[in-house]
Amino acid sequence: MKNIITTATLLAAGSALACAEIHTWDNASQTVSGENVATWNVTGTGLTWTSGVAESVIFTIDYTSIDTSKSYVLFSVKDVTYNGLTAIGIEGGNILFENWDDPAATATYALANITAEQNLTFVFSRDASNNETLSIYADGNFESVAATLTGKQNQSFRDKNWVSLDFGGTTGTSYTGNVNNVMPSNAEAEAFSLIAAAYTVGAVATTEDLIQYGISAIPEPSAFGLLAGLGALALVGARRRRSR
């Protein structure tokens, strides 16, 4: 039995060492839109467009808050110079994956081709060779990707460190270059529920990283019900004490 425990411990330790560090955003759970942009300040975190740095941005939205007939800006990156070098949105029933200065979306995917009931998690990754991808997962199942979109290859900008991750729209007056013509404007970006957000720096997120993110950042639907039930019981108890 001791040998089994020791082996399991070593395997767990090895798995942990292979994983990137997940940095989660405590303020992620909120309703966002073009008029109510959620901005995560990431200045000084190491997130950058510089060559040789791998990184991922992970965020989860409430699938039930999305209307395929409307337009949304889910995510965009603002750095020290550019606004929206990479952006993700929904328009015309398609997921848009836009990379720097492409006159049309770099890649698209029909939202109807993704089967989900509760939430969608988007993982934007940029590897050490500057290649960009967007992976989408449904309902917290991180062992099976629902869709993968291939972005620009070898996109790097020296010393362009990231300033903020924006959800719901842009914090500037517009995006930079052709991104402004591809992504919905703030006036056209509808509201949706942002559930959680995180990033890794130094390595792209692995399956194990995403599973850990799901455990720590995405609340189970049953947890909402349990908390609501406990809250209701506490309220009833308080009222009974006051009535006495």
Side-chain angles (χ1 to χ4, degrees), residues 3-4 14-15 22 26 30 37 46 51 56 58-59 90 97-98 109 120 125 128 145-146 153 167 172 180 183 190 205:
N3 289 338
I4 294 174
S15 177
I22 297 284
D26 293 339
Q30 54 184 292
V37 183
S51 181
S56 293
I58 312 158
F59 65 95
I90 295 174
F97 183 30
E98 170 67 0
Y109 194 86
L120 291 178
S125 293
V145 64
Q153 308 298 290
F167 302 92
N180 195 50
M183 297 302 295
E190 296 286 345

Side-chain angles (χ1 to χ4, degrees), residues 12-186:
S15 177
L17 289 172
C19 292
E21 184 176 359
I22 297 284
H23 304 269
T24 57
W25 191 26
D26 293 339
N27 295 328
S29 183
Q30 54 184 292
T31 299
V32 299
S33 68
E35 300 300 321
N36 184 35
V37 183
T39 302
W40 186 3
N41 187 331
V42 292
T43 303
T45 61
L47 291 168
T48 177
W49 296 113
T50 300
S51 181
V53 179
E55 55 217 352
S56 293
V57 175
I58 312 158
F59 65 95
T60 303
I61 68 171
D62 181 356
Y63 177 74
T64 65
S65 68
I66 298 298
D67 181 343
T68 56
S69 68
K70 296 180 180 179
S71 299
Y72 305 85
V73 178
L74 303 180
F75 165 74
S76 64
V77 178
K78 179 177 177 59
D79 66 27
V80 295
T81 303
Y82 301 110
N83 189 12
L85 284 185
T86 283
I88 301 166
I90 295 174
E91 190 172 49
N94 292 317
I95 296 169
L96 311 179
F97 183 30
E98 170 67 0
N99 298 161
W100 166 239
D101 218 25
D102 284 346
T106 308
T108 62
Y109 194 86
L111 189 58
N113 289 339
I114 297 177
T115 301
E117 295 181 356
Q118 299 168 0
N119 58 63
L120 291 178
T121 296
F122 296 79
V123 183
F124 163 68
S125 293
R126 179 175 172 275
D127 66 21
S129 298
N130 313 317
N131 302 318
E132 299 183 23
T133 58
L134 175 64
S135 300
I136 305 170
Y137 299 85
D139 297 332
N141 179 9
F142 296 115
E143 295 183 352
S144 178
V145 64
T148 300
L149 286 72
T150 300
K152 278 199 168 178
Q153 308 298 290
N154 196 30
Q155 176 170 302
S156 65
F157 297 83
R158 183 180 298 176
D159 300 326
K160 301 300 182 187
N161 298 322
W162 297 9
V163 173
S164 67
L165 308 179
D166 294 337
F167 302 92
T170 172
T171 50
T173 55
S174 65
Y175 299 98
T176 304
N178 280 322
V179 181
N180 195 50
N181 301 322
V182 175
M183 297 302 295
S185 67
N186 277 16

